[in-house]
């Protein structure tokens, strides 16, 4: 994918920006929407108003071809991360790349191998990149100093998941994959792992499901701008829930991503659930300027209230009490332009009170 020489660039347009690099001059696509995705997958019979259920059966690291028995992953403390303007030395802005190794015989954890501080790199077409602002810039390792971390004793537990899972939104044809929204996208919630299900509202004919942005691990917040980025292989089952009386009550009216694990519901929201509609013609740039955790929490509160009232046929006052006592609200990410807040509530809270049986068509 990232083969690039002065004579040849395997994938020219890297992102949802203009092909002629007219905004920043960084390269075709401008680096907007940097994720490598599989899709779109056309779901027969899917129409706007329906719900798509994606079940993650298995997710596994993709082994290295060059180093048998190993897989590798990377994390970048990046310029778009929460930490960049709050370093201990405020005058020394820096980005740091850390490379991790996974032993495929026991892929339950990743260990750091080495790190280096980014130095300005000149790409094969002669453009200088002072920061990591464009996908796939070849790094001249003679210009960076490696710090050996192999003896650090640190181990990062596996939380394998795909950070970006989206159906096509109705509002735009060319969409930056970085800010998530009602259609899913760059959700970056580690709970969407093997055994979990993600429900997304269908907005266009065929749904057009795309998946990518493999993460070996990530914590809530994604505080330095990235997860533990890793090439993954996943097995999924896609089911279609048609709108109407046959649709389970807990999915009716769903207008944002909903995650189901074996024991919990996770209601996902963002600062702007539908930024493509609500922020006007410049939505894909303005979302980066207007997102706040306060907005994301308010939307998560509203969506959680609606979900529990509808799924379990409870009154608002009953639900408000339950939410304050048993729903954990957490910051999903502050790295993706449209900040995320999720609410997690265990199914055991509702005891014998069952939600409607689901009706799905594979």
């Amino acid at each position: 994918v990232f083969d690039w020489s002065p004579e040849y660039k395997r994938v020219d347009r890297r992102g949802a920006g203009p092909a002629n690099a007219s905004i920043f001059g960084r390269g075709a696509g401008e680096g907007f929407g940097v994720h490598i995705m599989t899709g779109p997958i056309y779901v027969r019979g899917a129409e706007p108003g329906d719900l798509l259920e994606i079940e993650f059966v298995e997710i596994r690291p993709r082994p290295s071809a060059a180093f048998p028995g190993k897989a590798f992953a990377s994390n970048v403390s990046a310029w778009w991360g929460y930490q960049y303007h709050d370093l201990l030395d405020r005058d020394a802005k820096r980005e740091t790349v850390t490379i991790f190794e996974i032993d495929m015989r026991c892929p339950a954890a990743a260990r750091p191998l080495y790190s280096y501080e980014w130095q300005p790199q000149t790409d094969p077409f002669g453009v200088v990149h002072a920061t990591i602002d464009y996908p796939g810039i070849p790094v001249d390792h003679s210009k960076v100093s490696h710090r050996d971390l192999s003896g650090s004793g640190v181990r990062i537990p596996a939380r394998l998941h795909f950070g970006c899972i989206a159906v096509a939104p109705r509002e735009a044809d060319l969409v930056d994959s970085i800010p998530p929204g009602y259609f899913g996208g760059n959700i970056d919630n580690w709970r969407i792992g093997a055994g979990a299900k993600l429900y997304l509202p269908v907005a266009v004919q065929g749904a057009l499901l795309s998946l990518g942005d493999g993460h070996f691990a990530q914590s809530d917040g994604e505080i330095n701008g990235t997860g533990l980025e890793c090439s993954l292989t996943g097995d999924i089952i896609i089911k279609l829930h048609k709108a109407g009386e046959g649709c389970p009550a807990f999915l009716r009216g769903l207008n944002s991503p909903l995650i189901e694990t074996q024991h919990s519901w996770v209601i996902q929201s963002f600062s702007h659930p539908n930024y493509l509609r609500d922020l006007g013609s410049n939505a894909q740039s303005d979302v980066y300027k207007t997102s706040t955790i306060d907005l994301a929490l308010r939307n998560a509160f509203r969506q959680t209230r609606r979900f529990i009232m509808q799924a379990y046929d409870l009154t608002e006052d009953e639900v408000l009490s339950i939410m304050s006592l048993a729903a954990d609200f957490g910051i999903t990410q502050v790295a993706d332009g449209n900040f995320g807040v999720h609410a997690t509530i265990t199914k055991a809270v509702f005891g014998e009170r069952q939600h409607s049986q689901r009706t799905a068509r594979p």
Side-chain angles (χ1 to χ4, degrees):
V1 172
F2 288 127
D3 282 356
W4 191 0
S5 70
E7 297 78 29
Y8 175 76
K9 187 179 179 189
R10 182 177 292 275
V11 177
D12 184 35
R13 185 182 192 139
R14 295 181 176 177
N20 63 0
S22 59
I23 299 177
F24 298 113
R26 299 181 300 199
E30 297 280 8
F32 300 143
V34 300
H35 301 99
I36 299 173
M37 306 290 283
T38 295
I41 300 167
Y42 187 94
V43 180
R44 287 193 298 270
E47 301 173 295
D50 296 340
L51 280 302
L52 206 64
E53 174 184 328
I54 307 103
E55 179 180 357
F56 293 85
V57 179
E58 185 181 3
I59 305 174
R60 52 200 178 274
R62 188 173 301 171
S64 168
F67 297 88
K70 305 290 184 182
F72 297 93
S74 65
N75 172 256
V76 178
S77 289
W79 60 266
W80 60 86
Y82 194 80
Q83 85 297 334
Y84 191 67
H85 297 285
D86 198 12
L87 298 170
L88 293 177
D89 185 349
R90 299 294 182 91
D91 298 325
K93 299 290 187 294
R94 66 182 182 277
E95 296 176 286
T96 304
V97 180
T98 306
I99 304 300
F100 290 76
E101 178 187 79
I102 300 119
D103 186 339
M104 294 299 291
R105 295 172 300 179
C106 184
R111 69 182 187 103
L113 287 183
Y114 66 90
S115 67
Y116 62 88
E117 185 178 328
W118 181 269
Q119 300 298 326
Q121 300 289 324
T122 302
D123 70 33
F125 290 171
V127 177
V128 178
H129 301 267
T131 60
I132 305 172
D133 62 355
Y134 191 71
I137 304 165
V139 175
D140 182 351
H141 282 266
S142 69
K143 294 183 178 180
V144 299
S145 297
H146 288 196
R147 181 186 176 199
D148 184 6
L149 301 176
S150 59
S152 69
V154 171
R155 298 292 183 271
I156 303 299
R159 287 177 169 175
L160 276 66
H161 64 282
F162 293 98
C164 198
I165 310 161
V167 292
R170 70 179 68 87
E171 290 80 7
D173 292 328
L174 201 61
V175 182
D176 185 342
S177 67
I178 297 173
Y182 76 91
F183 50 87
N186 197 21
I187 301 171
D188 279 342
N189 193 319
W190 60 266
R191 294 160 185 83
I192 315 175
K197 298 175 182 179
L198 175 66
Y199 301 92
L200 295 173
V202 175
V204 303
Q205 194 80 23
L208 304 183
L209 173 69
S210 295
L211 307 90
D213 187 24
H215 289 174
F216 184 85
Q218 186 202 300
S219 59
D220 286 341
E222 199 177 11
I223 207 72
N224 79 346
T226 68
L228 188 44
E229 313 294 325
C230 182
S231 184
L232 303 177
T233 298
D235 299 322
I236 65 171
I237 296 173
I238 301 170
K239 294 181 180 178
L240 178 64
H241 296 270
K242 296 296 293 181
E245 290 301 316
C247 186
F250 77 100
L251 290 179
R252 293 174 194 165
L254 184 71
N255 59 3
S256 61
L258 172 67
I259 303 163
E260 181 181 6
T261 69
Q262 181 180 358
H263 301 293
S264 299
W265 297 107
V266 185
I267 299 92
Q268 182 69 59
S269 193
F270 312 101
S271 297
H272 302 285
N274 193 342
Y275 69 93
L276 292 169
R277 178 195 65 197
D278 297 339
L279 298 184
S281 59
N282 295 320
Q284 296 196 57
S285 57
D286 287 350
V287 67
Y288 290 92
K289 307 171 187 175
T290 60
S291 294
T292 69
I293 290 298
D294 284 352
L295 285 172
L297 178 60
R298 178 61 63 185
N299 287 319
F301 158 72
R302 290 171 175 168
Q303 288 171 198
T304 302
R305 176 179 58 188
R306 184 207 65 80
F307 170 75
I308 299 176
M309 288 180 66
Q310 188 158 311
Y312 292 96
D313 192 26
L314 294 165
T315 68
E316 181 181 23
D317 286 338
E318 288 176 300
V319 170
L320 293 177
S321 178
I322 292 169
M323 286 170 62
S324 196
L325 301 177
D328 292 319
F329 286 80
I331 299 172
T332 320
Q333 51 76 21
V334 290
D336 301 334
N338 198 6
F339 294 170
V341 167
H342 58 269
T344 304
I345 187 164
T346 61
K347 297 174 183 177
V349 165
F350 304 101
E352 300 301 318
R353 194 179 191 93
Q354 299 295 318
H355 65 77
S356 298
Q357 294 298 309
R358 63 190 72 195
T359 302
R361 178 160 62 87

